[in-house]
Amino acid sequence: MKTQSLTLLAEVLFVGLLVCVASVFVVTSLAAAAAGSVLLIEVTADGRTPTVRRFARLFREALAHPVAVLAPAGLLLVGGIDVVAVLGGLPGGRVFGVVLGVVLAALVAAGLRAAAGWRPGRRWPDVLASEGRAAVLDWRGSLGLVAAIVVVAAVVARAPAFVVVAPGLLVLAAVAVRARR
């Protein structure tokens, strides 16, 4: 039993590393998380060991649709503009900053849910629409993902070396939230 749990931990950490490397350009993070979620589902459902080659194939397929890059780019743009507005001395900036943080965490959670819902052959607009609805309808799961994002962000803030495996933990949380439905 211990060997299986250590194997699963190692595979989650390995997938986290792959997702982290593939997300280095930020705009590829949605496709990287989608490829990682497929790998984690294969690990848990079939016992299939994740490989770099399989991840690369899934990542390329996830990047095939422009929405896979445009969605994170739009989130990054809006988030960046809002942060600049808060740092620029916007009246009520602290309150606005907190609200902005909650909204961005909710959008990241929705993106994680979409990544966990993507499968090869599915189009991103369809996945984003269906998982966006699921994010609202299954608000408990979305709240759990927001909590996971906050915890992982706090851990990475205290120990930056964990940034390498943090994406895998968030993808695992998204896969678990989707599986419990």
Side-chain angles (χ1 to χ4, degrees), residues 67-181:
V67 172
V69 173
L70 294 175
L75 181 64
L76 188 63
L77 180 67
V78 169
I81 290 170
D82 289 342
V83 167
V84 167
V86 169
L87 293 177
L90 183 71
R94 284 194 174 175
V95 173
F96 184 69
V98 170
V99 170
L100 173 66
V102 170
V103 168
L104 287 176
L107 288 173
V108 170
L112 282 169
R113 287 182 79 113
W118 179 84
R119 298 290 174 273
R122 286 194 71 194
R123 294 176 26 88
W124 276 111
D126 301 334
V127 172
L128 289 170
S130 68
E131 293 302 321
R133 279 188 299 278
V136 173
L137 295 174
D138 179 26
W139 60 269
R140 287 183 179 101
S142 298
L143 193 59
L145 276 177
V146 169
I149 292 165
V150 169
V151 167
V152 168
V155 168
V156 169
R158 298 289 282 174
F162 281 102
V163 75
V164 176
V165 295
L169 299 173
L170 292 175
V171 169
L172 179 64
V175 168
V177 165
R178 189 168 202 289
R180 75 174 195 32
R181 279 196 292 153

Side-chain angles (χ1 to χ4, degrees), residues 1-73:
M1 183 67 173
K2 286 186 179 183
T3 304
Q4 285 179 329
S5 59
L6 287 177
T7 301
L8 180 60
L9 174 65
E11 288 169 339
V12 168
L13 296 177
F14 177 63
V15 169
L17 177 66
L18 292 174
V19 172
C20 184
V21 169
S23 298
V24 81
F25 296 111
V26 181
V27 293
T28 58
S29 59
L30 184 61
S37 72
V38 171
L39 285 182
L40 287 178
I41 289 168
E42 290 174 353
V43 165
T44 56
D46 306 331
R48 185 175 181 176
T49 302
T51 63
V52 174
R53 178 175 284 142
R54 175 80 175 135
F55 179 83
R57 230 176 307 140
L58 290 166
F59 181 62
R60 274 193 306 273
E61 189 169 343
L63 273 177
H65 199 282
V67 172
V69 173
L70 294 175

